[in-house]
Amino acid sequence: MKKGILYVMTILALVALLAACAAPAPAPLPTPTTAPAAAPALEKELVFASVVKSIAFNWFKRLETGVLQFGQDYKVKAFMEGPSQVDSAAQVAIIEDLIAQGVDAICNVPYGVPENEPAQKKAMDAGIIVVGHEAATAKEGTLHYDVEAFDNCAYGEEMLKELVARMGEEGKYIQFVGSLTNASHNEWQDCAKAYAEKNYPKLQWIAKYESKEDQEVAYNTMKDVLRTHPDIKGVLGSAAGDVVGAGRAIEEAGLQDAIAVVGTSIPSYAGELLKTGAVDLAMAWDPATAGYACNVVAYKVLKGEEIKDGMDLGVPGYEKITLRKGVNGVPVIYGSAWIKMDATNMDQYPF
Amino acid sequence: MAEEILRAEHISKRFGGVIALDAVSLSIHKGETCCLVGENGSGKSTMIKIISGVYTPDEGDIYINGHHYKRLTPIEAIREGIQVIYQDFSLFPNLTVAENIAINEQLASGKQSVNWKEIYEIAKEGLAKINVSLPLDAVVETLPTADRQLIAIIKALLAKARIIIMDEPTTALTQREVQALFRVINELKEQGLSILFVSHKLNEVVEIADRTVIFRNGQKVLDQEARGLDIGTMAFCMTGRKLDTSAIVFSEVEEAAAPLLRVENLTLAHGFFDVSFELKPKEVLGITGLLGSGRTELALSLFGVLPADSGRIYIEGNEAKIRSISDAARYGVGYVPEDRVREGLFLEQPIGDNVIVTLIDRLVTKLRLLNSKAKKEEADRWIKQLEVKTPSGELPAKSLSGGNQQRVVLAKWVARSPKILILNGPTVGVDVGSKAEIHELIRNLAGQGMGILLISDDIPELIQTCHRILLMRAGRIVKEFQREEITEQALNAELVASATTNAP
Amino acid sequence: MLNRIVKTREFIVFLILVALSVIVGLINPAFFSISTVFDTLRAAIVYFIMAFGVLPIIISGGIDISFVAIAAVTSFSTHMLLLKLGYEGGTLLYYLIACTMGLLAGLLNGFLVTRFNLPVFNVSLAAFTMWYGFNLFFIGATANFDLPAGTVGYYARFIITARDPFVGKTGLHVSIVYVVLIGLFIWWMLKYTTIGRGIYAMGGNREVAIRSGFNVPFITLVTFAIMGVLSAVAGVTQAFLSRYFNPVIFIGQPLDVLAAIILGGASITGGRGSVIGTALGVLLIQVINRALILTGIPVQWQRLVVGIILIVFTSIPALQERRARRIGHTTEAA
């Protein structure tokens, strides 16, 4: 029985992870701010491959658009490959295949970071530039660089700044996370809270609630929050449905102008409520720009350009990157590649 | 002689190379209680299964109600009115008495909806058949074993039983419940039903049987009117050797010896009150009484399972504070429980491991690892000493017969060389042959200097082992019998007196 | 009679429910309002339906967690199908299609259990993973907010409405009627049909149930069919109440539903459980959830509180046995 519960937990965790990856979906094509002025004249066309966890996810289809855009902009043969289902072994087989083909660079989004390390190292030994994405925990020497859309902590602080801009520097606010065990959600919210305590001492934190990745739970919770704290002024959300559920409760209470709601979401979820103002700001990130940036880094390394802290990759959100050593030694590049959507600009993000 | 309902003729059954039954005949007549007696492995279970259609005999014929069967199926047996009440009673523990009684009728009717009024009527009718009253709304798992057995009997009756086969029906019953069961059996008999009563408790057989059949090693060794048949003869037939109850040698208890155990004014709420007694080295002290008399609670208190609320315990003259089992073990108190399967044995584990489990702290090496060589030697020594019949100590304990399992439980505690050994119903569910050997063992252990407290309601057992007997009633010691005063009649008289004054 | 009711597990749950409500109401008077009652019932609707659906399986001695995944796959694929067909009608067609799918999904579990003699829990674990995976890979990984015109206002279709000074208009949602009807049906089925009694009999002693002549494989299939259909009802209802279809709906909540059933007096090993107890268990968990928000106790405590109550409850039978042992009625009979 005990073992049974453990199984259930593991499966729940796995599926929740899949769900989290898939939640905030497509975003618009990135418009590069600084594509190379003139396409470099080359003796032979460069080949850049991007490998993802699985091509079955919309998320990675969106990433592919960034990869293809990069290929056009940089006059490089760029393409994306991946297993039809998430599977480290299949992913490694694809990398081995690419090594045999003699590609120039690989941008890898590993499913299992440690399982992909030997293949990545083998590619590097073969003279291929290997850049990772969502692989900040890789071991030193198994990637040239890893590219992340943003630092989770910086993203959380940004959310809080946006909330304060709407609710003012004092008053009560609450937080939602999909679950208390979701590492990213909790890092965003904990950093936001720490930032608030340091910079806005008059903000009063009430609680961090769990929406169980279900907007109906967020809705019911928000109703009770309104009963308990009628003077609530701000709400931060993490899962895409958090701000939607909370926004609906706020709208039904007619408090859309009195309460600021900011959180991770996308217009297809929060569109209606963004229009009415029940949700004030939705924040997200775009896998397309990440795919683009990953390839740009590989291009620069191939060209012998040095990657420096604060440099501009020429991709929206990656204009001023942060370079830090990852926990296991791989150098990690952080962008600030979040996008912010409200009633005025949501039409530019039709997803 | 009354009409013959069932006749099994020259039944033989072999399992592989083992002959379970060898051309055995058995007949049952209308309105009689036939007792089938035999040691474990004598073939009685095989016979039950053959006449209820579970096994097909290799040779022989079965006649029921005049119909001849070469091969009898379970369905045919039921149709002919043969009902077996197994030891698990085949009841639903989570359902009420009424539903358990009526469920077969409900199913047989083929109706898809349930009429509760009808269920209660069927149940009432069933209870009336044997003239007992049970709470119809009670959930069966909350009832004592005796009541569950009555429900099983009623179910058999409602299934139009003509012969009811009871397989060791008294194993889990107290003496008073056995008496109640016997009343029911007699009532059934008067209604013209036949009972096949399978047991190895000879005193019960003497009481209930109209006719006694004894099996030994797959053969019928006796089949006669029960009247005039005494326990000694039956025991001889069962085991093939004479049990001599007169020549028992009891160990000499030294009058002057300091008591091993002295209990003063021991009290446990809802258990027993103001209990005082002494136990000397080499002495076997019996404690008897009916259900609810407090005898088991007293034993459990001395062993630390149910620590007493007040009073004092002295062991070898020093006051002992027994608040837990490990306290008791430290003071040299060992306990052999009644329900050896549930409380005393790890059935799936090897016999050897079961024996040495209480010794584990003495068998570890300096590195706190178990010394497997020492373990095996110790286990083998005790298996030999207590004559556990097994080809190897490596076999699981469940491979042993009841009597041998009980020996393993004994070995487990004796191996620790306790000063005081408490035995609770040491031969419950053990056949006569093994019983005598266990009694011998108890006397030998006492002879070596141990003090033994024997808790039992088996009167012959008390007589064959005890120096003194304390009788408990409603949590108090009401009478003490000295060796010379102990007779079966005297003990029985006192127990019956208890039954009339001791409300449960 | 009264004496017996007082001793039941259901009554204890009822008392805890009342006591907890009083405490919460004393700390936060906002709890004592008709709108809170309506909101609590509304939030509980889908849990009632799922719990009623899985209760027969629990009573029969199985443990299922796949009901949440069946709720997700039936509701989400029904929606994506009707969306593709340009359906603009009402909710009825949704329920019909989803229930048919739910019936098939339930029967698939039941088939695997009865045909290959697999443990119920293993099959349900496989079905749980499979159906969520099916949704994500084949139907779509993103939630969908495009509701057909005929269903848009359904979330606010109330039998009675109430106005609350803090949360605005709320009410008793019409789907509470389904809950009552489903509850009555399951209660009737368990108490007044041979299949229902067979479910209890199986949970009490499977071997004896077979020996007595209950059609155990058929009864197993029925329990799974009920679970499948009611999971579908719960999935569709939840989608309409929250106005969107979510491919991973309820993914984190099977244990909440099982906990409610067990709190309501069902035994995890089978044989015991009732509709009224389950309903009270669902309400108790809902009130505990709300209580923590309304009294300001950190959410992290929620699981701990539910866990502690579960431990206390599951140990009641053991404690009673111990008491009986002390009084001295069971040991000698054993």
Side-chain angles (χ1 to χ4, degrees):
Chain A
M1 189 56 226
K2 202 171 145 198
K3 212 168 169 187
I5 299 278
L6 204 70
Y7 274 135
V8 179
M9 290 308 186
T10 316
I11 300 292
L12 286 183
L14 277 178
V15 183
L17 203 72
L18 287 180
C21 290
L29 288 175
T31 35
T33 45
T34 51
L42 291 167
E43 291 154 16
K44 136 182 177 305
E45 193 186 23
L46 291 172
V47 181
F48 278 39
S50 295
V51 184
V52 296
K53 298 175 194 185
S54 164
I55 51 171
F57 287 108
N58 288 341
W59 182 257
F60 293 114
K61 292 196 178 118
R62 176 69 193 169
L63 191 144
E64 189 174 21
T65 62
V67 171
L68 299 176
Q69 185 72 46
F70 163 83
Q72 256 179 33
D73 294 345
Y74 281 76
K75 306 284 180 282
V76 166
K77 187 183 171 200
F79 58 89
M80 187 182 92
E81 275 192 35
S84 57
Q85 288 201 1
V86 282
D87 178 3
S88 285
Q91 191 169 8
V92 165
I94 291 172
I95 296 174
E96 303 264 353
D97 201 37
L98 292 170
I99 297 170
Q101 286 173 30
V103 297
D104 297 288
I106 296 174
C107 171
N108 193 29
V109 190
Y111 174 54
V113 172
E115 291 93 317
N116 275 266
E117 281 170 354
Q120 288 163 188
K121 187 164 189 318
K122 195 172 162 193
M124 284 168 75
D125 292 344
I128 300 171
I129 307 301
V130 187
V131 178
H133 174 52
E134 294 180 23
T137 56
K139 271 205 277 302
E140 187 164 17
T142 62
L143 285 174
H144 286 97
Y145 289 95
D146 175 69
V147 176
E148 296 299 315
F150 48 69
D151 173 38
N152 276 333
C153 210
Y155 181 70
E157 290 173 4
E158 190 66 21
M159 260 199 265
L160 188 98
K161 284 183 214 161
E162 293 290 349
L163 184 73
V164 168
R166 285 162 176 82
M167 69 177 275
E169 292 187 13
E170 58 185 296
K172 292 177 174 176
Y173 75 102
I174 58 162
Q175 299 175 314
F176 279 103
V177 290
S179 78
L180 291 169
T181 51
N182 183 313
S184 304
H185 290 184
N186 285 281
E187 202 177 345
W188 301 341
Q189 297 301 346
D190 293 348
C191 282
K193 186 182 167 204
Y195 188 81
E197 279 163 4
K198 205 166 133 208
N199 298 293
Y200 308 106
K202 284 182 180 161
L203 280 184
Q204 191 189 344
W205 177 85
I206 299 295
K208 183 161 80 174
Y209 297 112
E210 208 175 11
S211 69
K212 300 182 178 171
E213 310 273 349
D214 185 345
Q215 76 169 56
E216 192 65 9
V217 174
Y219 168 81
N220 285 316
T221 305
M222 191 66 217
K223 278 196 155 187
D224 284 340
V225 169
L226 290 174
R227 286 194 175 91
T228 316
H229 305 282
D231 53 343
I232 189 88
K233 288 184 73 186
V235 177
L236 282 178
S238 301
D242 292 356
V243 292
V244 187
R248 272 175 46 214
I250 290 168
E251 193 176 54
E252 284 174 21
L255 295 169
Q256 54 269 40
D257 297 328
I259 302 174
V261 180
V262 172
T264 303
S265 198
I266 47 176
S268 64
Y269 276 61
E272 288 297 309
L273 297 168
L274 281 170
K275 265 188 230 152
T276 64
V279 175
D280 297 83
L281 186 75
M283 290 175 64
W285 63 101
D286 185 347
T289 54
Y292 195 108
C294 187
N295 279 288
V296 169
V297 170
Y299 188 86
K300 289 194 189 298
V301 175
L302 187 68
K303 293 290 155 199
E305 251 184 81
E306 196 193 343
I307 305 290
K308 283 182 302 232
D309 191 55
M311 81 184 287
D312 181 359
L313 295 182
V315 186
Y318 298 85
E319 293 95 343
K320 189 169 180 293
I321 60 162
T322 310
L323 183 62
R324 277 211 306 266
K325 222 168 182 55
V327 283
N328 290 322
V330 153
V332 184
I333 296 163
Y334 291 102
S336 316
W338 44 70
I339 44 180
K340 297 173 183 173
M341 296 155 284
D342 60 17
T344 60
N345 72 345
M346 59 179 272
D347 295 337
Q348 301 166 28
Y349 301 97
F351 57 93
Chain B
M1 194 173 262
E3 171 200 351
E4 193 178 62
I5 300 185
L6 178 142
R7 190 167 85 245
E9 268 183 5
H10 305 296
I11 303 288
S12 293
K13 179 75 184 172
R14 280 173 296 274
F15 295 101
V18 182
I19 299 169
L21 287 174
D22 185 9
V24 175
S25 298
L26 177 74
S27 57
I28 297 173
H29 303 86
K30 186 173 164 69
E32 79 168 350
T33 303
C34 173
C35 283
L36 178 56
V37 183
E39 295 193 289
N40 291 329
S42 61
K44 24 178 230 262
S45 310
T46 310
M47 185 52 109
I48 298 176
K49 286 186 173 150
I50 284 172
I51 60 182
S52 59
V54 177
Y55 290 160
T56 308
D58 298 331
E59 281 150 46
D61 304 86
I62 302 170
Y63 299 88
I64 314 173
N65 304 316
H67 303 125
H68 175 226
Y69 292 94
K70 254 301 184 205
R71 310 169 58 92
L72 181 71
T73 66
I75 301 289
E76 284 165 342
I78 290 167
R79 215 174 284 145
E80 293 282 8
I82 294 178
Q83 286 281 331
V84 185
I85 296 174
Y86 290 105
Q87 281 173 302
D88 69 353
F89 304 143
S90 298
L91 297 179
F92 298 104
N94 58 326
L95 302 183
T96 61
V97 170
E99 209 175 352
N100 265 291
I101 292 175
I103 207 154
N104 284 338
E105 205 129 318
Q106 167 76 21
L107 281 166
S109 73
K111 273 185 278 188
Q112 281 309 307
S113 66
V114 178
N115 181 342
W116 284 91
K117 226 178 107 197
E118 220 170 276
I119 284 181
Y120 279 88
E121 275 162 18
I122 294 171
K124 272 186 209 145
E125 187 191 316
L127 289 175
K129 270 186 200 276
I130 56 166
N131 209 0
V132 294
S133 85
L134 288 173
L136 289 179
D137 282 328
V139 175
V140 162
E141 65 194 346
T142 65
L143 297 179
T145 319
D147 290 351
R148 296 186 207 184
Q149 189 169 47
L150 292 178
I151 297 169
I153 292 172
I154 293 169
K155 278 183 76 172
L157 287 177
L158 289 176
K160 312 241 173 344
R162 304 191 64 191
I163 300 176
I164 295 183
I165 301 173
M166 299 186 187
D167 187 11
E168 305 279 0
T170 61
T171 306
L173 303 187
T174 59
Q175 210 136 28
R176 203 149 49 107
E177 290 168 331
V178 170
Q179 290 307 322
L181 175 66
F182 285 175
R183 273 198 299 279
V184 169
I185 289 178
N186 284 327
E187 194 141 339
L188 296 176
K189 232 168 67 179
E190 272 161 36
Q191 295 173 21
L193 269 95
S194 312
I195 314 289
L196 182 63
F197 186 96
V198 182
S199 179
H200 51 232
K201 290 191 178 171
L202 299 179
N203 51 342
E204 292 171 358
V205 171
V206 166
E207 201 173 336
I208 194 71
D210 294 323
R211 195 159 53 87
T212 304
V213 177
I214 299 182
F215 282 8
R216 186 171 78 225
N217 294 331
Q219 286 178 327
K220 186 161 83 173
V221 291
L222 181 137
D223 186 346
Q224 70 174 76
E225 282 280 317
R227 200 167 307 149
L229 198 61
D230 63 71
I231 291 185
T233 314
M234 286 194 279
F236 175 71
C237 287
M238 263 175 84
T239 58
R241 59 181 181 270
K242 190 87 181 162
L243 279 181
D244 197 351
T245 44
S246 61
I248 293 169
V249 183
F250 291 90
S251 56
E252 277 306 315
V253 180
E254 290 155 36
E255 281 301 318
L260 257 181
L261 169 74
R262 198 168 88 237
V263 174
E264 277 181 9
N265 309 104
L266 210 60
T267 296
L268 173 72
H270 304 298
F272 49 85
F273 311 94
D274 206 15
V275 167
S276 306
F277 64 85
E278 284 185 358
L279 174 70
K280 296 208 160 139
K282 298 192 175 180
E283 184 178 32
V284 181
L285 175 61
I287 298 182
T288 188
L290 295 172
L291 167 75
S293 64
R295 51 174 208 210
T296 296
E297 286 75 7
L298 176 61
L300 291 177
S301 267
L302 292 173
F303 191 54
V305 178
L306 295 173
D309 299 328
S310 63
R312 289 166 198 280
I313 302 169
Y314 296 89
I315 289 172
E316 293 183 311
N318 303 316
E319 182 165 3
K321 294 249 177 271
I322 299 179
R323 311 300 306 168
S324 68
I325 294 174
S326 51
D327 285 349
R330 209 170 50 242
Y331 284 115
V333 180
Y335 176 69
V336 180
E338 180 179 36
D339 187 346
R340 59 182 171 270
V341 174
R342 206 173 60 184
E343 297 180 47
L345 272 186
F346 302 103
L347 284 178
E348 304 294 332
Q349 298 300 317
I351 297 161
D353 288 7
N354 268 294
V355 172
I356 57 94
V357 68
T358 56
L359 290 180
I360 255 169
D361 52 345
R362 298 186 199 165
L363 293 174
V364 290
T365 62
K366 273 187 202 138
L367 292 169
R368 307 298 298 165
L369 297 169
L370 202 54
N371 181 339
S372 59
K373 191 159 160 272
K375 180 184 112 177
K376 192 173 172 345
E377 281 170 5
E378 191 74 2
D380 287 348
R381 188 161 75 85
W382 287 106
I383 288 170
K384 195 156 161 260
Q385 189 147 345
L386 295 185
E387 297 174 351
V388 177
K389 285 179 196 123
T390 175
S392 160
E394 304 294 315
L395 292 173
K398 66 177 177 188
S399 67
L400 296 173
S401 68
N404 279 304
Q405 284 184 5
Q406 188 69 328
R407 271 176 235 221
V408 171
V409 179
L410 273 172
K412 182 172 123 176
W413 282 106
V414 174
R416 241 196 119 83
S417 323
K419 296 183 198 112
I420 300 159
L421 187 62
I422 306 170
L423 303 171
N424 192 0
T427 60
V428 169
V430 170
D431 59 62
V432 177
S434 305
K435 216 166 174 173
E437 284 165 16
I438 288 174
H439 293 157
E440 176 78 41
L441 188 67
I442 291 171
R443 291 190 295 267
N444 287 346
L445 288 171
Q448 289 162 23
M450 222 177 259
I452 294 177
L453 272 184
L454 176 72
I455 312 222
S456 175
D457 59 1
D458 181 337
I459 291 169
E461 172 165 294
L462 292 162
I463 295 173
Q464 288 176 41
T465 51
C466 295
H467 294 87
R468 279 185 302 141
I469 297 171
L470 303 175
L471 175 71
M472 288 185 77
R473 186 182 301 158
R476 293 174 199 277
I477 293 177
V478 292
K479 192 159 171 56
E480 180 176 337
F481 295 87
Q482 297 300 325
R483 175 75 227 146
E484 50 277 10
E485 305 172 294
I486 302 175
T487 65
E488 191 156 0
Q489 286 74 11
L491 275 171
N492 252 331
E494 284 294 339
L495 274 175
V496 172
S498 300
T500 50
T501 54
N502 178 19
Chain C
M1 190 63 196
L2 190 70
N3 193 25
R4 277 190 54 213
I5 291 175
V6 170
K7 274 189 195 154
T8 59
R9 182 84 82 88
E10 284 85 348
F11 189 74
I12 301 173
V13 183
F14 177 72
L15 282 187
I16 294 180
L17 189 59
V18 171
L20 187 65
S21 304
V22 169
I23 294 169
V24 175
L26 289 177
I27 296 172
N28 186 348
F31 186 74
F32 286 141
S33 72
I34 191 72
S35 80
T36 309
V37 174
F38 288 165
D39 281 346
T40 307
L41 286 174
R42 184 184 189 282
I45 283 168
V46 290
Y47 297 97
F48 280 132
I49 299 174
M50 284 194 284
F52 291 159
V54 81
L55 175 66
I57 295 180
I58 302 280
I59 295 175
S60 77
I63 302 172
D64 185 280
I65 59 158
S66 67
F67 60 94
V68 281
I70 292 177
V73 77
T74 53
S75 60
F76 194 64
S77 50
T78 301
H79 177 62
M80 295 317 263
L81 176 76
L82 290 178
L83 200 63
K84 220 169 227 173
L85 299 176
Y87 178 73
E88 286 297 331
T91 55
L92 185 65
L93 188 61
Y94 269 86
Y95 280 112
L96 286 178
I97 299 177
C99 286
T100 310
M101 289 185 193
L103 178 69
L104 295 176
L107 286 176
L108 175 66
N109 276 20
F111 173 75
L112 293 172
V113 168
T114 51
R115 180 76 178 74
F116 302 106
N117 243 330
L118 300 173
V120 172
F121 183 73
N122 297 18
V123 169
S124 87
L125 193 57
F128 177 93
T129 322
M130 181 180 83
W131 289 127
Y132 277 121
F134 181 85
N135 250 2
L136 291 173
F137 282 113
F138 297 107
I139 312 292
T142 7
N144 188 288
F145 286 72
D146 290 333
L147 298 193
T151 69
V152 167
Y154 185 72
Y155 76 96
R157 205 164 296 157
F158 299 126
I159 299 170
I160 316 166
T161 52
R163 279 212 66 83
D164 183 283
F166 302 122
V167 302
K169 191 181 134 190
T170 177
L172 189 62
H173 194 263
V174 288
S175 54
I176 200 79
V177 175
Y178 308 155
V179 172
V180 174
L181 291 178
I182 291 167
L184 283 173
F185 171 76
I186 300 287
W187 170 79
W188 170 81
M189 192 232 15
L190 288 175
K191 186 155 172 91
Y192 289 104
T193 68
T194 304
I195 289 175
R197 301 321 292 170
I199 291 171
Y200 281 97
M202 268 172 76
N205 190 334
R206 205 183 141 83
E207 269 313 303
V208 177
I210 295 169
R211 241 188 281 158
S212 304
F214 280 108
N215 188 343
V216 166
F218 179 71
I219 294 170
T220 308
L221 280 178
V222 171
T223 60
F224 277 98
I226 289 171
M227 179 274 283
V229 170
L230 293 188
S231 300
V233 173
V236 172
T237 306
Q238 177 78 341
F240 285 134
L241 285 178
S242 56
R243 289 181 267 167
Y244 83 129
F245 282 83
N246 181 349
V248 290
I249 191 79
F250 299 137
I251 194 160
Q253 288 145 347
L255 296 183
D256 286 1
V257 175
L258 294 179
I261 296 173
I262 308 253
L263 275 181
S267 160
I268 201 81
T269 50
R272 256 182 297 134
S274 69
V275 167
I276 187 76
T278 300
L280 289 168
V282 168
L283 278 178
L284 183 58
I285 289 204
Q286 284 298 325
V287 171
I288 290 171
N289 285 351
R290 314 217 114 179
L292 297 172
I293 301 166
L294 290 164
T295 57
I297 299 169
V299 187
Q300 284 86 338
W301 288 91
Q302 181 193 326
R303 288 177 183 177
L304 189 66
V305 170
V306 175
I308 288 171
I309 294 181
L310 268 178
I311 288 172
V312 171
F313 264 65
T314 42
S315 44
I316 285 175
L319 291 175
Q320 281 169 340
E321 191 173 311
R322 219 182 132 89
R323 214 174 101 84
R325 205 181 150 91
R326 271 193 77 97
I327 293 169
H329 279 281
T330 53
T331 40
E332 298 204 32

